[in-house]
């Protein structure tokens, strides 16, 4: 009796080696051969049957290779101990085989960590006409495609011009070198500091510190592949401002990043709410004012499981008020985004960078999106989504890009001055003879900087927050006469008499008012309620409803002359306190709370009525 020798291939980050073994050889003996061949200690590595680190081969003296179903010619996968196991830091940051040159301590977004672990390949079924093999075979007509396959993306309906960012990473890490020499570096338009061989600019510059010239190209990938509003109500309430005033309006999109399954390894920005900061809007302009509540809004959104994912503005001009149509002004003959809007989008994207471990700076690009409510080809309101390219972000960050006053579709690359060196910026165009020529970006068509993103509404609406027939007023709409105060809160509570307290309180703008109002801010005591809204837990909401803070809020509401239904059932304090407080009245002029039985305000001395 003798055992035929077989050759087992073992792939490691350093290459593939062949190990000679027999079928009856134990796993422990085989792993010793592997350790000797690769120069590892016995416990310095792990060997798996599958590339995704499943089916680990343990050093067992009772199991043979035949029992483990390892046969001649099989390929096993070796990972050093620093890269082995499902909790590996490398596994959460980069695809297998990618050598990281970036910042390993950067914490990426959850969606990035999730997509980096996915296979991403496009699986196809057997073609009955073209495939000539059995059901278990594969050929060029049914073999899985890579997520960056351009032919596949171009044949989708509608065609996809930009691959997803994670598909782009897979493309860089493909091939024989597995991305060994690839690094995601951010573009810089500034002179490198620390060059001591000459005088500083403008008296001197050299090739070591001089930034490279920039040739603008269409970006092949995008960081976000789809913008989806959870329901029509979110967008309609935002548009109500324009419908009532005719002035343009601005808002921040709050939501979350999820997987977009229509595109391989795609990312979707889901919008759950729109926050409207202080602003001055006219029929053709917008001016943002300083927002003292910006940080608080971000904190509240984070506790609700949301984050700022983009910004939205209107560009609507009524065409026929009887038909309800709007002017179709943004198209291929004019512009999709003006140069000022591109610069604003670039500034927002620079303020919200995309955390990325594969970049030496720890960040690369941005997931911050731009949404525009404008007229479409059918003269109805359409929502269009955009981002600007990483090249545009660099030009904006280093203050190299200016808008053109008389041509919104054109930008202008600054010229160097004694205060600032600006690298040359070029773009490629086609002349009247069909020849490709290189032009200096003075001026610059902004379509070289824009990446379009599909904007959609789901067939089945999603509701992170409850929808009411009589919603709570939106913040910073005083110009419409819609104010957030305790009178509007009392009116809202009296009109929404749902037995489910969570449905009544689950309003993004109401929660912001409870935290930011000046009479009784609840920033330090509202965490339990926010957790209840985030997890849709009615029991937690009822627990907070019985707190002293909510009882005080109800008493403040009762003083404005609106009787709340079931007031005696709410709160954690006694009925005598309710009765005594309810008898107090608020001055209509200065809102001071006065004692019962008085006819004039103790603060401003004005009459009660």
């Amino acid at each position: 009796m003798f055992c035929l020798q077989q050759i087992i291939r073992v792939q490691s980050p350093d290459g593939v080696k062949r190990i000679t073994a027999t079928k009856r050889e134990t796993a422990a003996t085989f792993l010793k051969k592997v350790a000797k061949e690769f120069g590892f200690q016995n416990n310095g590595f792990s060997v798996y049957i599958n590339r995704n680190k499943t089916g680990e081969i343990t050093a067992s003296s009772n199991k043979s290779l035949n029992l483990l179903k390892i046969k001649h010619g099989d390929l096993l996968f070796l990972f050093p101990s620093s890269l082995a196991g499902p909790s590996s830091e490398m596994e959460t940051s980069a695809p297998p085989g990618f050598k990281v040159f970036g910042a390993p301590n950067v914490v990426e977004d959850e969606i990035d960590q999730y997509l980096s672990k996915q296979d991403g390949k496009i699986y196809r079924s057997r073609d009955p006409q073209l495939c000539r093999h059995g059901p278990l075979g594969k050929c060029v007509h049914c073999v899985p495609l890579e997520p960056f396959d351009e032919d596949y993306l171009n044949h989708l309906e509608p065609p996809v011009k930009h691959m997803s960012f994670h598909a782009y990473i897979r493309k860089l890490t493909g091939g024989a070198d597995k991305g060994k020499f690839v690094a995601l570096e951010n573009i810089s338009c500034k002179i490198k500091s620390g060059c001591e061989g000459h005088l500083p600019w403008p008296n001197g510059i050299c090739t070591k510190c001089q930034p490279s010239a920039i040739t603008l190209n269409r970006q092949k990938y995008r960081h976000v592949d789809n913008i989806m509003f959870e329901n029509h109500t979110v967008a309609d309430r935002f548009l109500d401002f324009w419908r009532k005033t005719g002035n343009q309006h601005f808002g921040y999109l709050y939501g979350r990043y999820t997987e977009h399954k229509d595109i391989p390894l795609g990312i979707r920005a889901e919008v759950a709410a729109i926050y409207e900061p202080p602003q001055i809007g006219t029929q053709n302009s917008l001016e943002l004012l300083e927002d003292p509540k910006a940080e608080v809004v971000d904190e509240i959104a984070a506790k609700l499981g949301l984050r700022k994912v983009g910004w939205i503005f209107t560009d609507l001009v009524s065409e026929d008020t009887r038909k309800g149509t709007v002017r179709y002004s943004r198209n291929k003959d004019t512009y999709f985004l003006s140069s000022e809007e591109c610069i604003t989008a670039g500034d927002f994207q620079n303020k919200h960078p995309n955390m990325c471990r594969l970049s030496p700076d720890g960040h690369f690009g941005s997931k911050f999106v731009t949404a525009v409510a404008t007229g479409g080809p059918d003269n109805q309101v359409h929502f269009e989504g955009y981002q600007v390219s990483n090249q545009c972000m660099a030009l904006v960050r280093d203050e190299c890009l200016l808008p053109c006053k008389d041509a919104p579709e054109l930008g202008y690359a600054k010229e160097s001055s004694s205060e600032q060196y600006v690298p040359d910026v070029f773009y490629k165009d086609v002349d009247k003879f069909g020849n490709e020529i290189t032009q200096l970006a003075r001026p610059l068509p902004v379509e070289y900087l824009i990446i379009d993103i599909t904007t959609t509404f789901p067939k089945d609406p999603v509701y992170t927050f409850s929808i009411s027939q009589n919603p709570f007023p939106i913040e910073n709409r005083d110009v419409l006469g819609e104010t957030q105060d305790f009178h509007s809160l009392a009116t809202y509570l009296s009109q929404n008499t749902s037995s489910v307290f969570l449905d009544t309180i689950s309003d993004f703008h109401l929660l912001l008012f409870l935290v930011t109002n000046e009479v009784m801010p609840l920033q330090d005591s509202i965490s339990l309620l926010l957790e209840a809204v985030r997890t849709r837990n009615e029991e937690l909401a009822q627990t907070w409803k019985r707190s002293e803070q909510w009882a005080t809020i109800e008493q403040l509401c009762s003083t404005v002359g609106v009787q709340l239904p079931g007031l005696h059932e709410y709160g954690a304090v006694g009925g005598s306190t309710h009765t005594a407080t309810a008898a107090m009245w608020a001055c209509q002029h200065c809102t001071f709370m006065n004692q019962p039985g008085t006819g004039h305000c103790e603060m401003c001395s004005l009459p009660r009525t």
Side-chain angles (χ1 to χ4, degrees):
M1 294 290 294
F2 63 93
C3 296
L4 294 176
Q5 289 187 338
Q6 55 185 3
I7 296 177
I8 311 297
R9 297 173 297 158
V10 180
Q11 184 183 70
S12 75
D14 298 325
V16 179
K17 294 189 178 181
R18 292 170 173 79
I19 310 297
T20 302
T22 62
K23 288 185 177 181
R24 296 183 179 180
E25 192 169 286
T26 63
T29 305
F30 175 72
L31 291 178
K32 288 181 181 179
K33 291 183 179 180
V34 173
K36 181 178 180 181
E37 187 70 24
F38 284 92
F40 282 105
Q41 299 293 331
N42 287 339
N43 58 352
F45 66 96
S46 297
V47 177
Y48 300 89
I49 296 177
N50 302 312
R51 189 187 298 272
N52 60 356
K53 297 180 183 176
T54 58
E56 183 178 2
I57 301 175
T58 57
S60 172
S61 57
N62 299 325
K63 293 184 178 180
S64 65
L65 298 184
N66 188 34
L67 185 62
L68 294 173
K69 298 182 179 180
I70 299 175
K71 55 186 181 298
H72 176 71
D74 280 356
L75 177 64
L76 306 179
F77 302 94
L78 181 148
F79 293 92
S81 56
S82 59
L83 302 181
S87 61
S88 165
E89 187 175 294
M90 181 70 69
E91 184 184 2
T92 61
S93 62
F98 191 89
K99 185 176 181 180
V100 177
F101 290 90
N105 296 325
V106 173
V107 179
E108 294 180 323
D109 294 338
E110 291 184 6
I111 183 63
D112 292 318
Q113 297 182 27
Y114 170 78
L115 291 177
S116 65
K117 301 175 184 177
Q118 302 306 304
D119 180 21
K121 291 187 177 180
I122 305 159
Y123 289 92
R124 300 182 292 176
S125 58
R126 182 177 180 273
D127 192 314
Q129 296 181 347
L130 300 177
C131 295
R132 303 298 182 185
H133 51 75
L136 299 179
K138 290 291 182 183
C139 67
V140 293
H141 303 293
C142 60
V143 70
L145 301 175
E146 295 292 344
F148 49 82
D149 189 276
E150 293 186 5
D151 290 336
Y152 173 81
L153 297 177
N154 290 332
H155 283 83
L156 289 177
E157 186 59 40
V160 177
K161 295 186 294 184
H162 308 275
M163 70 181 75
S164 66
F165 178 61
H166 282 270
Y168 176 70
I169 292 178
R170 299 294 171 90
K171 185 175 183 179
L172 294 181
T173 58
D177 61 352
K178 297 295 181 182
K180 184 177 181 181
F181 304 104
V182 174
L184 299 177
E185 296 184 0
N186 293 294
I187 302 171
S188 176
C189 303
K190 291 184 176 181
I191 296 176
K192 295 179 181 179
S193 59
C195 192
E196 301 177 352
H198 54 78
L199 296 174
W201 175 265
N203 298 317
I205 193 170
C206 67
T207 55
K208 292 182 180 179
C209 61
Q210 179 182 9
S212 302
I214 299 175
T215 300
L216 299 175
N217 299 308
R218 183 177 69 88
Q219 190 165 291
K220 296 182 179 180
Y221 61 90
R222 55 188 177 188
H223 292 273
V224 175
D225 303 280
N226 178 256
I227 304 171
M228 187 186 77
F229 291 87
E230 284 190 345
N231 52 75
H232 286 276
T233 305
V234 174
D236 285 339
R237 293 196 67 191
F238 176 74
L239 291 177
D240 278 343
F241 185 90
W242 173 80
R243 294 188 180 112
K244 295 177 180 179
T245 65
N247 295 334
Q248 309 305 332
H249 208 47
F250 172 96
Y252 288 113
L253 306 176
Y254 280 87
R256 57 187 70 84
Y257 295 113
T258 59
E259 182 183 9
H260 182 46
K261 297 183 179 180
D262 294 343
I263 295 177
L265 300 178
I267 294 178
R268 166 183 287 161
E270 291 187 6
V271 180
I274 301 177
Y275 169 72
E276 301 174 10
Q279 57 193 283
I280 299 176
T282 66
Q283 292 184 358
N284 54 14
S285 67
L286 277 171
E287 179 185 355
L288 293 184
L289 306 178
E290 184 179 357
D291 186 7
K293 302 177 182 178
E295 293 184 2
V296 178
V297 175
D298 288 342
E299 291 177 7
I300 298 304
K303 292 180 180 180
L304 291 169
L306 307 176
R307 59 185 294 183
K308 193 183 293 182
V309 298
W311 65 297
I312 183 173
F313 64 93
T314 61
D315 182 19
L316 296 166
V317 178
S318 180
E319 187 173 63
D320 190 334
T321 54
R322 293 174 299 177
K323 296 181 180 179
T325 57
V326 293
R327 185 178 303 169
Y328 178 41
S329 58
R330 292 176 181 252
N331 49 61
K332 60 182 180 61
D333 298 323
T334 55
Y335 58 89
F336 296 101
L337 281 184
S338 69
S339 54
E340 283 186 304
E341 293 159 359
C342 286
I343 293 173
T344 305
D347 182 60
F348 280 134
Q349 289 181 206
N350 283 316
K351 291 178 180 177
H352 301 85
N354 175 49
M355 296 294 103
C356 181
R357 289 186 176 182
L358 308 183
S359 171
D361 301 322
H363 60 85
F364 187 77
S366 173
K367 295 193 191 78
F368 204 79
V369 299
T370 299
V372 187
T374 185
D378 56 355
N379 297 112
Q380 299 298 320
V381 177
H382 284 233
F383 290 87
E384 308 293 341
Y386 302 98
Q387 277 192 309
V388 294
S389 65
N390 291 9
Q391 290 179 326
C392 180
M393 290 175 58
L395 293 173
V396 173
R397 182 188 64 242
D398 297 332
E399 300 179 353
C400 299
L401 186 62
L402 297 173
C404 287
K405 181 178 180 180
D406 300 325
E409 73 277 7
L410 298 177
Y412 193 88
K414 289 174 62 175
E415 299 183 29
S416 298
S417 63
S418 57
E419 291 80 18
Q420 179 187 10
Y421 175 82
V422 179
D424 290 331
V425 182
F426 302 97
Y427 68 95
K428 292 184 178 181
D429 200 358
V430 178
D431 62 12
K432 61 181 180 180
F433 303 107
N435 300 318
E436 187 177 70
I437 58 175
T438 301
Q439 298 269 35
L440 189 62
R442 299 189 184 113
L444 159 70
V446 294
E447 56 259 29
Y448 284 86
L449 311 174
I450 298 174
I451 301 168
D452 62 308
I453 303 173
T454 56
T455 305
T456 57
F457 290 85
K459 293 181 179 179
D460 299 320
V462 181
Y463 297 97
T464 298
F465 301 101
S466 301
I467 301 300
S468 171
Q469 295 293 333
N470 303 288
F472 188 74
I474 296 177
E475 60 282 338
N476 300 311
R477 286 194 175 184
D478 297 343
V479 67
L480 291 178
E482 300 177 6
T483 57
Q484 288 188 340
D485 52 25
F486 281 95
H487 186 278
S488 59
L489 175 58
T491 303
Y492 171 79
L493 293 176
S494 65
Q495 294 175 345
N496 293 272
T497 58
S498 172
S499 59
V500 182
F501 178 69
L502 185 62
D503 291 341
T504 303
I505 207 70
S506 293
D507 185 293
F508 182 71
H509 308 286
L510 170 59
L511 295 171
L512 292 183
F513 171 73
L514 293 178
V515 174
T516 60
N517 74 87
E518 297 179 355
V519 177
M520 188 181 175
L522 301 179
Q523 186 171 359
D524 299 329
S525 56
I526 203 172
S527 296
L528 183 65
L529 177 61
L530 298 178
E531 179 66 16
V533 174
R534 186 183 69 84
T535 59
R536 305 298 301 171
N537 190 324
E538 171 66 14
E539 184 177 348
L540 276 182
Q542 290 290 342
T543 301
W544 188 85
K545 176 182 173 182
R546 292 189 291 269
S547 67
E548 182 179 351
Q549 289 80 10
W550 181 246
T552 307
I553 291 290
E554 288 184 322
Q555 295 308 316
L556 289 173
C557 291
S558 66
T559 61
V560 297
V562 180
Q563 181 62 37
L564 301 184
L567 177 61
H568 62 279
E569 299 176 1
Y570 296 171
V573 295
S576 59
T577 306
H578 281 257
T579 305
T581 310
M584 298 178 65
W585 60 276
C587 177
Q588 298 179 358
H589 308 283
C590 68
T591 70
F592 181 76
M593 300 298 297
N594 294 274
Q595 295 297 325
T598 56
H600 290 76
C601 177
E602 298 176 10
M603 179 61 66
C604 65
S605 300
L606 293 175
R608 179 173 181 176
T609 56

